[in-house]
Amino acid sequence: MCVSVPGQVIEIDGTSGKVDVAGNTVEADFSFLPDVKPGEYVLVHAGFAIQKYDQAEALETLRLLREAYQVTS
Amino acid sequence: MELLAKGYRDEDLGRRILSRIRGEMDGAPTVRLMEVCGTHTMSIGKLGLRRAIPYNLVLLSGPGWPVCVTPGGYVDAAADLALDGITVITFGDMVRVPGSRTSLERARASRGRIVVASSVTAALDLARNEGGDVVFLAVGFETTAPTTAAAVLTASREGLNNFSVLVSHRLVPPALRLIMDDPDCAVSGFILPGHVSTIIGTEPYEFLADEFGVPGVVAGFELIDVLVALESLVHMIRSGAAAVNNAYTRVVRTGGNRKAEEIMAEVFEVVDTEWRGIGRIPMSGLAVREEYAAFDAACKYGIQVGGCELPPGCSCGSVLRGVLRPAECPLFGRRCTPQQPVGPCMVSTEGACAVSYKYGEK
Ligand code: SF4
């Protein structure tokens, strides 16, 4: 029920739009993220985009972790 | 995106974090951590983490699964509406939950119209396209409550008078306070819910560290997310530090989502609420404001939700407060199984007892 999935914004028209979630196009309401643009990543929960998904941050966190734990592969 | 997801599931990295956790816990007194959110309970079960972590690190499941804490009387009221010819729209998980005297499943078998949907938007569409009354069962925490609020605003704007919501939304921070206030409380750190925090941010949890000296880490749901949170909690506890940290920075901002919170505050006011099996928690629930009473099913149909007791013998309340583990309930795996659930924690796939049963945890 609280499951939320990340996806890439395809298009937005007012508060409604479409998001690509793992290759599937899903409808999403953008009332909570008025300044998001197509191409950006968002987290979708129960039909609403609830927060921006920061891909750069995700990569950086992972890089730092791998460095801290000396994962090389 | 796929690559990233893979990175957060990297088992090699996972093993290294685990070995750091083992090092921290070596010879240490038992540490009890609570994962508040049902989705974490589910991830931890699926990943088999309870078995992989050291024996002196205990993970308890908290009250953060809506199905488990929704009063039986709420389920009864929803079933009655369906039997009165009203279309009831619900998230799938609610269908099997036992109420005090009936369930949605039973109402459906007696020809009540119950529609399962994954979004309140589907309820709005039904109300627009069909003439009859439509009631959406609005359960869930701060992640879901704003979506209900947005739908009420839409209905109000469109004058959609056959649409209303039966609200049983709950707030996470007051429940954590109740757990900490309990003299039997054995929790020394919290894995805080990632998706609730996308809305409320990290500030509402600060009291855990400030007032109770207990650390909390906001975490995501992949292997690496959970392990990083565990490592950080264990490290803080072992070194006598307490802070509330955000380890899910890719979607959680310190200030949460202001816009969603505004919409939620426009439609709802915060009220005292009963949690099934746990009792009344001050300022832990949401009620529709008077301005939007026309869209509040409780007002519209004169519903008073009672019935917060659990089925006889069920210990869900103690399980959800971290006082008992599922397997310590005398009915667990005997009279109560996912096929024949007695209490709400066994019904939903993300309920603490169901997860424990499925993944064979002791
Ligand atoms: S095992 Fe069943 S009866 Fe016991 S606490 Fe869990 S849900 Fe309730």
Side-chain angles (χ1 to χ4, degrees):
Chain A
M1 189 178 299
C2 291
V3 175
S4 313
V5 287
Q8 189 173 27
V9 180
I10 301 168
E11 58 178 48
I12 301 180
D13 180 12
T15 57
S16 55
K18 292 192 167 68
V19 180
D20 175 347
V21 174
N24 299 317
T25 302
V26 301
E27 308 268 341
D29 187 302
F30 284 83
S31 301
F32 310 142
L33 289 179
D35 53 358
V36 105
K37 292 177 191 57
E40 290 187 304
Y41 289 84
V42 293
L43 196 66
V44 181
H45 169 78
F48 285 70
I50 55 169
Q51 194 50 277
K52 287 190 191 182
Y53 182 107
D54 189 338
Q55 237 190 341
E57 175 81 28
L59 283 167
E60 179 62 8
T61 305
L62 208 50
R63 192 187 66 75
L64 290 174
L65 278 171
R66 291 169 67 87
E67 201 175 278
Y69 287 93
Q70 292 157 9
V71 177
T72 47
S73 58
Chain B
M1 227 7 139
E2 230 350 85
L3 250 173
L4 249 180
K6 250 178 140 168
Y8 281 96
R9 291 176 200 146
D10 180 354
E11 291 186 7
D12 182 22
L13 177 55
R15 268 190 293 273
R16 288 167 197 247
I17 305 175
L18 248 180
S19 90
R20 181 87 57 94
I21 294 173
R22 287 207 189 93
E24 290 267 8
M25 288 304 296
D26 192 21
T30 300
V31 167
R32 289 185 179 78
L33 304 177
M34 176 177 274
E35 87 265 0
V36 176
C37 159
T39 313
H40 276 136
T41 304
M42 182 84 161
S43 297
I44 289 167
K46 232 193 242 166
L47 295 165
L49 282 183
R50 277 195 174 77
R51 271 186 298 246
I53 55 178
Y55 73 96
N56 51 353
L57 182 57
V58 178
L59 299 183
L60 304 164
S61 302
W65 191 241
V67 167
C68 300
V69 294
T70 302
Y74 177 89
V75 175
D76 295 343
D80 289 348
L81 288 174
L83 290 175
D84 283 345
I86 291 161
T87 300
V88 170
I89 306 205
T90 177
F91 294 128
D93 272 35
M94 289 296 291
V95 175
R96 292 184 61 212
V97 181
S100 300
R101 54 180 166 77
T102 181
S103 71
L104 295 178
E105 203 170 37
R106 276 169 59 186
R108 186 192 254 168
S110 317
R111 296 175 187 274
R113 185 162 185 227
I114 294 170
V115 178
V116 170
S118 57
S119 167
V120 65
T121 317
L124 285 173
D125 283 342
L126 256 181
R128 286 185 194 109
N129 300 330
E130 298 184 17
D133 276 12
V134 168
V135 171
F136 177 72
L137 301 188
V139 299
F141 294 94
E142 290 93 331
T143 332
T144 318
T147 72
T148 305
V152 167
L153 291 183
T154 303
S156 160
R157 218 166 30 237
E158 293 180 17
L160 213 54
N161 293 324
N162 59 337
F163 172 87
S164 61
V165 293
L166 188 58
V167 173
S168 192
H169 286 306
R170 286 178 170 50
L171 306 175
V172 168
L176 301 185
R177 180 177 284 284
L178 181 100
I179 288 167
M180 289 315 303
D181 274 335
D182 187 338
D184 291 336
C185 169
V187 181
S188 39
F190 288 94
I191 303 171
L192 296 167
H195 293 147
V196 161
S197 308
T198 61
I199 305 294
I200 68 173
T202 55
E203 193 274 330
Y205 307 114
E206 297 280 341
F207 74 93
L208 291 172
D210 296 347
E211 291 177 41
F212 296 96
V214 159
V217 175
V218 175
F221 300 89
E222 301 290 356
L223 175 70
I224 301 305
D225 292 317
V226 178
L227 286 175
V228 163
L230 289 181
E231 201 276 328
S232 157
L233 285 167
V234 164
H235 181 73
M236 281 195 269
I237 291 165
R238 295 291 295 140
S239 52
V244 170
N245 293 338
N246 178 9
Y248 198 26
T249 46
R250 57 193 189 274
V251 288
V252 174
R253 317 281 118 81
T254 310
N257 183 330
R258 290 271 150 74
K259 183 77 193 164
E261 289 201 291
E262 268 168 39
I263 291 176
M264 197 160 46
E266 162 76 26
V267 173
F268 296 125
E269 56 187 331
V270 178
V271 293
D272 297 354
T273 299
E274 298 276 350
W275 294 50
R276 192 176 199 179
I278 295 178
R280 196 171 196 79
I281 307 184
M283 305 309 263
S284 68
L286 298 175
V288 177
R289 289 187 189 278
E290 230 174 275
E291 298 95 286
Y292 297 101
F295 305 98
D296 181 358
C299 280
K300 193 166 170 178
Y301 304 105
I303 296 168
Q304 287 234 339
V305 170
C308 284
E309 63 294 335
L310 287 164
C314 170
S315 322
C316 276
S318 306
V319 169
L320 298 178
R321 281 181 296 123
V323 177
L324 273 190
R325 277 189 281 161
E328 291 171 328
C329 167
L331 304 190
F332 179 85
R334 298 188 181 90
R335 263 185 50 217
C336 183
T337 62
Q339 289 71 41
Q340 291 248 297
V342 172
C345 307
M346 191 59 96
V347 172
S348 150
T349 45
E350 304 192 24
C353 298
V355 170
S356 232
Y357 186 89
K358 180 163 179 198
Y359 297 102
E361 289 159 355
K362 293 275 145 46

